[in-house]
Amino acid sequence: MRPARNLQQGPHTTFVQSMVRSHGRDATAFDARILDDGSVAVSGPMGTALYPLGGWTSKFVRHLEQGYFGPATAAADQEGG
């Protein structure tokens, strides 16, 4: 695994946490950073995923929906999910 230096953080984490909450999950363990190589690192309770800057949002949401970042909370289970 390559070492990464964080250049920016803040609004990206807020944005990711908002998306996580909208999918019925606990967002407190999520963090997002733009790395010096231009990729986006999204960390959650089950690990970290790296995405290319272009189109990272849709890829992250797809991975979130597929459960890559851990199980959904009870709110999603109540919907039959």
Side-chain angles (χ1 to χ4, degrees):
M1 182 175 243
R2 64 189 152 118
R5 193 170 43 99
N6 298 325
L7 290 181
Q8 298 178 27
Q9 64 180 358
H12 300 79
T13 294
T14 303
F15 180 68
V16 164
Q17 288 177 343
S18 176
M19 287 191 295
V20 170
R21 277 191 298 278
S22 74
H23 283 81
R25 301 184 189 203
D26 180 12
T28 56
F30 284 82
D31 180 66
R33 293 182 168 91
I34 295 179
L35 305 177
D36 58 353
D37 67 358
S39 62
V40 177
V42 178
S43 298
M46 303 297 284
T48 300
L50 297 176
Y51 301 100
L53 189 56
W56 75 270
T57 304
S58 62
K59 292 174 185 167
F60 167 69
V61 169
R62 183 170 52 241
H63 287 165
L64 184 65
E65 290 171 346
Q66 292 173 343
Y68 289 13
F69 288 95
T73 63
D77 291 337
Q78 292 173 358
E79 296 173 10

